[in-house]
Amino acid sequence: KKIIFSGIQPTGVFTLGNYIGAIRNWVNLQEEYNCIYSVVDMHAITVRQDPATLRQQTLSSYALLLACGIDPQKSLVFIQSHVPAHAQLSWALGCSAQFGELSRMTQFKDKSLKHADDVNVGLFTYPVLMAADILLYQTNLVPVGIDQKQHLELARDIAIRFNGRYGNTFAVPEPYIPKMGAKVMSLQEPTKKMSKSDENAKAFISILDSADTIIKKCKSAVTDSEARVCYAEGKDGINNLMTIYSVVTGKSLEEITGEFDGKGYGDFKLAVGEAVAEHLRPVREGHERLMKDKAYLEQCYTEGAEKAAHFAKRTLEKTYQKLGFVKGV
Ligand code: TYM
């Protein structure tokens, strides 16, 4: 069986973008593959976080993954900081990553402009830690949205380079990017990615938003002046809403065009809002239930970390041996 790894940052409630671009695929892949999923709290601290909020959000994010349908009986689900091998491998891989290639990462360039007062070293080496997350489990496939593609290519380059220098150590991972919804756009500026850090709360749907809020946000989504529901160049707002609607209802783009033939954008946006709200209802309810059962959550993430640590240790020991470290006790 192929091995799947992916991670998500606990920096706020997940958006519909996180859900459509990543989490929903994580859920589907569980049936066929050995899946390992992580709440990456160590990545989150590359930008300043309030400690109490981070702790709460990490637990909430973990509960959200389960509420979305990640099954801790089928998959390994853990919190990154619980498995120290991630930090350890990250150091080793950093010595096979180049300053130049890290400087070219577009996310680093964007974030160092946005957080100009705190361009810390963690922000710069972020993709090396991400490579460690992936390579530690001999991962074959990494389900992510399109914005993580460059980081994944770096992880591949590091793996290939390390294998070339020291002999075969890591599986070389492939990206798994969905055909539909690899980049869900902002509802307010549909040429921009939907992001939970957007200042305008109307720009994104959080997967814990109430049905009313979801419908309101969809109704106020920016579209165009054509009043024709069809997927076409230049219709970024409509294309985005059609993609969302297609994913949550399972209808094809042609079916959607047919369904709204002769109807206005008002009807369409309402239908999108209702479909999304309905699709996410079990997630909201499941999350609420899980957050009341902290003991169960703790049991799940503890077991997840123990199992992950077991696999991680093998790769770490192999890496240390290849590097020429003296075997410790
Ligand atoms: P993060 O936490 O920003 O996002 C988690 C996942 O959601 C996807 N995503 C989107 N997909 C479609 N449309 C959007 N608008 C959208 N916004 C976010 C992301 O592509 C991602 O798949 N660096 C990673 C976390 C990470 C990781 C890893 C991922 C750490 N280690 C190892 C894979 C493997 C990140 O910040 O994702």
Side-chain angles (χ1 to χ4, degrees), residues 275-295:
V276 171
E278 190 50 31
H279 189 86
L280 293 177
R281 194 156 54 91
V283 175
R284 284 193 298 278
E285 292 170 355
H287 177 262
E288 203 183 313
R289 239 186 349 263
L290 285 161
M291 287 306 277
K292 289 188 192 130
D293 196 351
K294 296 275 157 54

Side-chain angles (χ1 to χ4, degrees), residues 5-11 15-23 26 40 43 80 107 111 126 129-131 133-134 142-148 151-152 181-185 193-196:
F5 181 93
S6 202
I8 189 158
Q9 296 196 62
T11 46
T15 66
L16 188 64
N18 295 131
Y19 180 78
I20 289 181
I23 305 170
W26 300 10
V40 293
H43 278 105
Q80 186 188 32
Q107 187 177 303
K111 285 201 180 170
Y126 178 116
L129 179 59
M130 180 162 159
D133 297 342
I134 298 167
V142 185
V144 284
I146 205 106
D147 62 327
Q148 295 300 318
H151 287 158
L152 209 80
K183 190 174 184 186
V184 176
M185 298 299 187
K193 181 182 87 162
M194 179 183 285
S195 159
K196 56 192 162 209

